[in-house]
Amino acid sequence: MTATVEDDVQLNENNTNPEFATSEKQEARAFLRERFLRVVTGIVGKQAEFHLYENTCVSAEFRGCDIDCLEVYVRNLETPLGKIPEAILRASDIIHLDISNINTTQ
């Protein structure tokens, strides 16, 4: 039995998930992506307190994160052992972060 190009197109159309690709869902994902990027860019330069595992708390100026949000870039990291001018924190080590006065400009 030989397959034609039309059969291949028919198979590909049957394998797509139309619910995932609806225009409403695409618009919602784009809206959420834009909002996330605005939050990240809005906190750049703010002093943040990072709560890490093993009951560790450090503070630093938030500078950004990588494209996958796996690494957080900070400046003037204050740790129990001293101050580090530039550092990268693994997102998997961060439980949460606090930013005071997030609505004020510095």
Side-chain angles (χ1 to χ4, degrees), residues 1-2 8-9 12 14 17 22 26 31 35 37 41 47 49 51 57 64 67 69-71 78 87 91 102 104 106:
M1 180 173 172
T2 60
D8 289 341
V9 170
N12 288 336
N14 290 337
N17 186 353
T22 63
Q26 287 178 352
F31 172 78
R35 179 171 279 186
L37 293 173
T41 57
Q47 190 65 24
E49 191 172 275
H51 297 269
C57 184
I67 195 166
C69 295
L70 297 176
E71 296 175 333
E78 296 178 20
I102 196 165
T104 60
Q106 290 181 339

Side-chain angles (χ1 to χ4, degrees), residues 4-44:
T4 65
V5 173
E6 290 175 9
D7 291 337
D8 289 341
V9 170
Q10 183 74 21
L11 286 173
N12 288 336
E13 288 177 356
N14 290 337
N15 289 335
T16 60
N17 186 353
E19 289 182 24
F20 180 76
T22 63
S23 62
E24 294 86 15
K25 289 192 178 187
Q26 287 178 352
E27 287 178 28
R29 282 193 300 276
F31 172 78
L32 293 172
R33 202 169 26 251
E34 180 182 353
R35 179 171 279 186
F36 171 76
L37 293 173
R38 286 184 187 274
V39 167
V40 170
T41 57
I43 63 174
V44 169

